[in-house]
C-alpha cells in the first residue's frame, strides 16, 4: 500500500514543504522546496499566498496525510502570533481538502531524526540526506525545506504507533483541541509593522 505524506515547516518569510512516498514500509523523497513570502509586504497577502500554494501542492501531489511543525514558544509575542497564523492557514488548506493533519513539536522531530532533541538544523538535514539517499545537489540551500521533509519523515516513523501526536479531522475537532488558541472576539490591537522573524 502506498501513502504520500506532506510535511510543512511554517514560516512568515519562507515556508518549507516536503513530500515523502511510503511504499512497502520504505520512505523516499518525492520533492521538497519553499514558499517564498518575502515579496509580499502585507501580512494578509502572505496568508492568501500560503493558502493558494499549499492548496496547489495538495492538488498536485494528493497527499494522504500532512505533518506540520508546531510553532515554538518564543519571547517575541508578535512573531509568535504571525507564525501561528501562517501555520493555521496551512492547516486550513489541508482541512479544506480533507487531508488529516498531524502536529509535531520541533524537539520531537529532531529527536526522531537524529536522536537528539537539540540537534542543529544542519544535523537534521545531513541525517535526512543519508536516510533518504538524497543527492547533494537536490538538498537545496534553504533549511526550511529540509525541516518540512523532517516533519514528514517524523510522521513516517510514528505511523502505526499509538503515541502519535495531535491530529485533527475537521474544524470542530481542531477548535475542540485548541480552545486556548481560539478567540471569540476579534482583537482591537493594531497589526505591528515591525519585521517578523522566522524560525
Amino acid at each position: 500500500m502506498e501513502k504520500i505524506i506532506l510535511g510543512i515547516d511554517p514560516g512568515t518569510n519562507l515556508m518549507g514543504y516536503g513530500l515523502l512516498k511510503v511504499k512497502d514500509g520504505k520512505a523516499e523523497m518525492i520533492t521538497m522546496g519553499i514558499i517564498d513570502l518575502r515579496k509580499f509586504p502585507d501580512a494578509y497577502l502572505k496568508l492568501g499566498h500560503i493558502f493558494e500554494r499549499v492548496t496547489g501542492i495538495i492538488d498536485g501531489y494528493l497527499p494522504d496525510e500532512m505533518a506540520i511543525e508546531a510553532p515554538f514558544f518564543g519571547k517575541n509575542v508578535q512573531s509568535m502570533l504571525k507564525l501561528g497564523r501562517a501555520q493555521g492557514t496551512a492547516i486550513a488548506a489541508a482541512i479544506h481538502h480533507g487531508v488529516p493533519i498531524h502536529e509535531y513539536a520541533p524537539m520531537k522531530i529532531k529527536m526522531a531524526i537524529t536522536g537528539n532533541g537539540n540537534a542543529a538544523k544542519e544535523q537534521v538535514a545531513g541525517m535526512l540526506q543519508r536516510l533518504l539517499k538524497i543527492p547533494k545537489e537536490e538538498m537545496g540551500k534553504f533549511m526550511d525545506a529540509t525541516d518540512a521533509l523532517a516533519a514528514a519523515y517524523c510522521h513516517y516513523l510514528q505511523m502505526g504507533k499509538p503515541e502519535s501526536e495531535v491530529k485533527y479531522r475537521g474544524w470542530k475537532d481542531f477548535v475542540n483541541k485548541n480552545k486556548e488558541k481560539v478567540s471569540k472576539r476579534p482583537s482591537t490591537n493594531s497589526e505591528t509593522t515591525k519585521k517578523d522573524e522566522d524560525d
Side-chain angles (χ1 to χ4, degrees):
M1 185 177 175
E2 189 174 298
K3 178 177 281 193
I4 294 175
I5 304 169
L6 167 62
I8 294 285
D9 176 45
T12 52
N13 286 324
L14 296 172
M15 178 173 279
Y17 66 89
L19 287 127
L20 281 182
K21 179 170 72 176
V22 180
K23 189 173 182 180
D24 299 325
K26 294 181 180 179
E28 65 177 83
M29 184 186 78
I30 299 173
T31 189
M32 65 176 167
I34 58 154
I35 299 170
D36 194 341
L37 304 163
R38 293 172 295 185
K39 62 184 177 182
F40 298 97
D42 182 83
Y44 301 106
L45 289 176
K46 286 186 178 187
L47 297 180
H49 189 64
I50 289 170
F51 190 86
E52 287 174 7
R53 289 286 284 114
V54 174
T55 291
I57 292 166
I58 292 172
D59 287 339
Y61 293 95
L62 303 175
D64 298 285
E65 299 182 47
M66 183 171 90
I68 191 164
E69 184 175 305
F72 68 96
F73 292 96
K75 292 181 179 179
N76 188 325
V77 177
Q78 288 297 332
S79 290
M80 280 293 298
L81 175 64
K82 291 176 182 179
L83 191 57
R85 286 175 174 172
Q87 189 215 32
T89 301
I91 287 173
I95 290 174
H96 182 69
H97 287 76
V99 179
I101 301 136
H102 303 263
E103 186 177 28
Y104 295 96
M107 188 172 285
K108 172 96 174 180
I109 295 171
K110 291 177 180 180
M111 179 65 75
I113 307 296
T114 69
N116 176 10
N118 295 311
K121 290 175 180 284
E122 290 80 8
Q123 289 176 286
V124 174
M127 185 61 76
L128 279 174
Q129 185 179 2
R130 289 191 289 275
L131 290 168
L132 295 169
K133 299 178 175 60
I134 304 170
K136 193 171 184 180
E137 61 271 14
E138 290 183 29
M139 288 301 289
K141 63 179 180 177
F142 294 107
M143 291 292 158
D144 308 84
T146 49
D147 282 352
L149 194 65
Y153 195 83
C154 175
H155 181 60
Y156 155 69
L157 294 174
Q158 296 298 312
M159 281 165 49
K161 295 183 181 180
E163 64 269 22
S164 180
E165 292 285 310
V166 181
K167 55 185 177 182
Y168 310 113
R169 300 203 175 275
W171 280 116
K172 187 179 282 186
D173 190 34
F174 178 79
V175 170
N176 286 336
K177 291 177 180 175
N178 293 276
K179 288 180 180 176
E180 75 284 354
K181 296 179 183 177
V182 179
S183 174
K184 293 182 180 178
R185 292 183 298 179
S187 173
T188 56
N189 293 336
S190 60
E191 186 76 21
T192 182
T193 56
K194 184 179 177 183
K195 187 177 180 183
D196 57 320
E197 298 175 339
D198 268 327
D199 174 15

